[in-house]
Amino acid sequence: MKALLSTATGGPETLELGEVARPTPGKGQMVVDVKACAVNFPDVLIIEDKYQFKPQRPFAPGGEVAGIVAEVGEGVTDFKTGDRVIAACGNGGMAEAALVNAANSYPLPEGRDFAEGAALLMTYGTSIHALVDRGHIEEGDTLLVLGASGGVGIAAVELGKAFGARVVAGVSSEAKADIARQAGADEVVVYGYQPFDKEASKALANMFKTAVGGDGANVIYDAVGGDYCEPALRSIAWEGRYLVVGFPAGIPRLPLNLTLLKSCDVAGVFWGAFAAREPQRNRANIARLFQLWEQGKISPRVTERFALADGGKAIAKLGDRSAVGKLVVTI
Ligand SMILES: NC(=O)c1ccc[n+]([C@@H]2O[C@H](COP(=O)([O-])OP(=O)(O)OC[C@H]3O[C@@H](n4cnc5c(N)ncnc54)[C@H](OP(=O)(O)O)[C@@H]3O)[C@@H](O)[C@H]2O)c1
């Protein structure tokens, strides 16, 4: 079968379309004929050996897929050949077929497109876990989302609205502001590009404070990091929750006195580890996502589709910050 392969450590230009043997399912596993594979920031990191998990080469990037079950392994009772599914697979999704665990797979609802389905699990799974389990978000809260036009960011905006929060989106450009508004953001701060000196950092803190309003942001969802973190933290409310989700702009350092002054919490978010350690709580979150999807309260915003051979171009767009919305490879 064809797969987009990482054969050496490097950027998206190192990926090659190649032939590999079709996988065979072990106990509890299935082989899925891939119709769509969502592109996520971990794909940028994994091919450069900068991700938490380092698969053996050659491997295909792509952590979540939608497709049709081609073969089921021993002990799989919830799915059969021919079922339409979505599944988290970690890597290996940018291929004609992917090996998935049945425990990490879900039926793709009737009438839903494969591309939309492929873009559900990682972004919304991360953001529901962040906002609910780590951020304890409540109706009436003010939520500030950094990187609000990216994969996990849009999911946080939509979920924040679904949970009754007032949502302020932070993005780097007007084009990205549009997609954050379409996702439901009540207000948008266009923060431009780092690096920020002391004055620029103070000015950005003031922009965030004005946008979130007098009492500050009860929950801050940070999937960006870098120079954006400290100005955002300065806009947090008394007893607010600062969610550490990702660092495409770099790993920031925090002056801890700010947390004392606001009596706030800084909470780490690691969805993959949560899903592995607490599968039942994760499945309950995913079940809630399917309900919200059916009710039209969330809907994966696929903005661009790429052929398998062009998967590297999609990964490059996430890496150079030019992606707007959700990119998906379709087969
Ligand atoms: N903690 C977890 O469990 C978990 C799970 C999934 C993903 N993540 C992490 O969350 C982050 C976002 O993932 P994603 O898939 O949503 O990525 P994405 O779609 O590429 O979104 C990332 C956003 O970060 C912003 N950004 C700021 N500086 C950037 C830079 N130098 N390069 C690229 N983007 C930059 C961009 O928005 P602006 O230009 O508007 O700032 C971009 O929209 C990644 O770090 C990823 O590893 C964490």
Side-chain angles (χ1 to χ4, degrees):
M1 67 169 189
K2 287 193 172 56
L4 190 66
L5 296 172
S6 171
T7 53
T9 310
E13 70 288 349
T14 60
L15 296 174
E16 295 164 13
L17 195 61
E19 284 287 335
V20 286
R22 246 181 107 81
T24 44
K27 198 173 174 184
Q29 294 182 317
M30 317 193 283
V31 174
V32 171
D33 282 336
V34 177
K35 298 291 175 192
C37 173
V39 186
N40 292 287
F41 207 82
D43 299 320
V44 176
L45 303 174
I46 203 166
I47 58 174
E48 294 191 24
D49 292 343
K50 291 181 182 164
Y51 195 52
Q52 291 102 333
F53 308 107
K54 294 179 178 58
Q56 217 185 337
R57 290 194 163 79
F59 72 89
E64 54 181 343
V65 296
I68 296 172
V69 175
E71 217 180 325
V72 297
E74 188 194 329
V76 175
T77 51
D78 292 343
F79 299 96
K80 59 181 187 323
T81 304
D83 284 352
R84 288 159 32 101
V85 290
I86 62 181
C89 53
N91 63 78
M94 291 192 193
E96 287 179 326
L99 192 62
V100 306
N101 286 323
N104 297 333
S105 305
Y106 304 84
L108 176 65
E110 194 78 14
R112 294 291 186 185
D113 168 68
F114 286 112
E116 217 190 335
L120 184 83
L121 286 180
M122 188 179 287
T123 52
Y124 291 89
T126 298
S127 293
I128 195 169
H129 169 54
L131 294 175
V132 174
D133 302 321
R134 308 296 290 141
H136 311 293
I137 197 160
E138 285 179 8
E139 196 170 345
D141 276 353
T142 295
L143 166 68
L144 171 62
V145 179
L146 306 185
S149 82
V152 295
I154 304 178
V157 171
E158 288 187 349
L159 286 167
K161 289 307 296 175
F163 299 146
R166 177 173 165 266
V167 178
V168 177
V171 291
S172 62
S173 70
E174 280 302 336
K176 292 184 174 186
D178 283 345
I179 196 135
R181 284 192 195 95
Q182 285 164 28
D186 298 285
E187 197 148 344
V188 181
V189 172
V190 178
Y191 47 54
Y193 293 91
Q194 62 178 27
F196 300 138
D197 61 15
K198 216 171 168 185
E199 278 311 299
S201 180
K202 204 170 157 191
L204 181 55
N206 286 333
M207 282 163 73
F208 284 141
K209 283 180 190 170
T210 306
V212 299
D215 295 335
N218 307 96
V219 181
I220 298 182
Y221 183 102
D222 181 4
V224 173
D227 288 0
Y228 304 91
C229 171
E230 186 180 326
L233 182 64
R234 287 181 185 277
S235 75
I236 205 163
W238 178 254
E239 294 189 343
R241 284 83 66 200
Y242 192 98
L243 305 176
V244 179
V245 182
F247 319 104
I251 299 177
R253 285 171 187 274
L254 276 183
L256 280 180
N257 62 313
L258 297 180
T259 65
L260 179 153
L261 293 172
K262 295 290 181 69
S263 193
C264 68
D265 295 340
V266 175
V269 176
F270 189 172
W271 175 62
F274 163 76
R277 283 163 174 263
E278 303 200 51
Q280 284 181 341
R281 280 180 72 196
N282 182 55
R283 284 193 86 84
N285 280 350
I286 304 290
R288 198 168 170 195
L289 290 179
F290 275 96
Q291 280 170 1
L292 292 168
W293 195 17
E294 196 183 339
Q295 292 161 0
K297 291 188 174 165
I298 61 170
S299 74
R301 281 153 206 279
V302 179
T303 48
E304 267 187 271
R305 295 169 193 235
F306 295 77
L308 181 59
D310 293 332
K313 290 184 187 162
I315 295 175
K317 286 189 88 162
L318 264 68
D320 70 13
R321 207 176 177 173
S322 61
V324 181
K326 195 73 206 156
L327 314 190
V328 173
V329 167
T330 54
I331 298 170

